[in-house]
Amino acid sequence: MSKTLIEDALAILRDKYMFPDKAEAAAAVIEADLAAGEYDGLSEEELGERVTARLFEVCADRHLRFRVRAVDLQEAGETEEDAEAAWNERQRLTNYGIQRTERLAGNVGYVKLTGVTSPGNGGRAIAAAMELVANTDALIFDLTANRGGDPDGVQMWNSYLFADSETHLNSIYDAATKHTRDFWTLAYLPGQRYVDKPVYVLTSGSTFSAGEEFAYNLKALRRATLIGETTRGGAHPTDQFPVSKTMEITVPVARSINPVTGTNWEGVGVVPDIALAADEAFGHAYTLALRHVVETATSQLVLEEARSALEK
């Protein structure tokens, strides 16, 4: 059973991975392991872990994984349509990755994102979250538990922080089509934009993929102050390919190219402007935001609220 699973996974790897030479080198290593009986008697979870470790040894790509499929995907089926339907339902049930949106004391906005939804699924939720914080004087995005998502979703979130459609956020090169797509700030957004006010982004060693792009774009454009830990380091957009009902291989099929830096965060992560332990990042960001409010507030109500929050 494991032999068939591995052979099918390696066929997908050779066909889809954006670095063909690395795909061939990794496949050769794993085939040698298979011939030597290295994967005999392993459970599917153990098999996934062992093969993924070997893939990383050769390719050093954190998006390249062989693993047990999520239960909802197993129940949905093996076709692309089945997987997409299950993903859409997961997005709905997790509120499109928007875990918290609130106005903190001192008129500071706070949005905690555990994922980045596609605008087609969660665009209305993104707009609603931004509307709730639109009238705050500073904004904190908490990405410390963000595991990634959709580049189009990053584009929409980031677009709220710029005045118009004239800002180039990111580019993605697709290996199959050899086409580079440029992501610019959107010309139209539902609701108000959040401009000319400070933005803070909290990161951790677990922040990954599209969560990292969210932070990297804003850092490169100097639109936000990043506070926390260096992120995990996965910059290659990825597709998931079922190998069986219970196993899948995730394969990077493209790569990000930032227009400011000319590179991306693959393997190195996004380095924060202010390095702190992840559990200390919020307190520091909130303090900076409150100090800004105290210095700039024109409302006595907000000023008193910010001063009181700072004292606490």
Side-chain angles (χ1 to χ4, degrees):
M1 179 64 176
S2 61
K3 182 176 187 293
T4 300
L5 285 173
I6 291 174
E7 288 175 343
D8 290 346
L10 294 181
I12 295 169
L13 175 70
R14 284 180 163 118
D15 183 49
K16 301 294 185 181
Y17 192 36
M18 63 172 299
F19 301 111
D21 292 346
K22 289 185 178 181
E24 191 58 45
V29 168
I30 292 168
E31 285 171 340
D33 288 347
L34 185 61
E38 295 292 331
Y39 306 120
D40 294 348
L42 299 180
S43 67
E44 287 190 338
E45 184 175 356
E46 292 169 332
L47 179 64
E49 291 174 353
R50 188 79 61 85
V51 171
T52 296
R54 292 297 261 168
L55 289 169
F56 188 77
E57 286 176 14
V58 177
C59 303
D61 193 325
R62 296 193 184 279
H63 273 113
L64 187 57
R65 293 164 291 185
F66 185 49
R67 64 187 182 186
V68 176
R69 303 179 78 203
V71 173
D72 57 341
L73 295 179
Q74 292 183 34
E75 294 172 349
E78 295 181 45
T79 70
E80 184 176 337
E81 291 75 14
D82 293 334
E84 184 176 358
W87 174 252
N88 292 344
E89 178 64 3
R90 185 189 300 179
Q91 290 290 291
R92 185 182 71 82
L93 294 174
T94 57
N95 200 39
Y96 306 102
I98 305 170
Q99 189 173 90
R100 285 175 60 189
T101 305
E102 61 182 301
R103 175 197 180 276
L104 303 174
N107 206 32
V108 175
Y110 176 78
V111 180
K112 183 176 179 64
L113 299 178
T114 56
V116 182
T117 186
S118 67
N121 285 333
R124 289 189 302 171
I126 295 173
M130 289 306 298
E131 189 66 22
L132 287 174
V133 298
N135 295 312
T136 58
D137 293 314
L139 179 57
I140 299 170
F141 284 105
D142 187 341
L143 306 182
T144 53
N146 194 296
R147 301 291 294 153
D150 191 284
D152 290 308
V154 175
Q155 180 186 30
M156 185 172 181
W157 280 111
N158 283 177
S159 291
Y160 273 97
L161 308 179
F162 296 90
D164 50 37
S165 61
E166 300 300 314
T167 301
H168 187 180
L169 297 168
N170 189 33
S171 295
I172 292 179
Y173 171 77
D174 185 278
T177 64
K178 296 180 171 54
H179 172 72
T180 299
R181 177 185 171 188
D182 295 331
F183 291 78
W184 291 74
T185 47
L186 298 172
Y188 168 78
L189 291 166
Q192 302 179 59
R193 294 178 186 261
Y194 199 93
V195 296
D196 300 325
K197 294 182 283 190
V199 175
Y200 306 91
V201 176
L202 313 184
T203 61
S204 77
S206 297
T207 307
F208 190 53
S209 194
E212 294 178 280
E213 187 202 331
F214 188 120
Y216 192 90
N217 292 351
L218 298 181
K219 180 183 178 182
L221 292 164
R222 300 187 179 185
R223 179 60 186 94
T225 300
L226 274 56
I227 304 173
E229 299 169 348
T230 299
T231 61
R232 194 172 175 210
H236 296 152
T238 301
D239 284 340
Q240 291 77 40
F241 300 95
V243 179
S244 69
K245 183 176 181 180
T246 56
M247 296 292 290
E248 69 181 10
I249 184 168
T250 67
V251 182
V253 295
R255 61 184 173 89
S256 295
I257 308 166
N258 183 272
V260 177
T261 66
T263 183
N264 59 47
W265 58 96
E266 180 64 35
V268 296
V270 184
V271 180
D273 299 299
I274 300 172
L276 288 172
D279 59 2
E280 298 175 3
F282 170 76
H284 192 79
Y286 189 28
T287 298
L288 293 178
L290 288 170
R291 288 175 179 167
H292 166 78
V293 174
V294 167
E295 292 172 359
T296 61
T298 56
S299 162
Q300 191 62 30
L301 173 66
V302 169
L303 182 59
E304 291 176 0
E305 197 178 49
R307 284 173 174 165
S308 177
L310 266 177
E311 290 174 0
K312 294 177 182 178

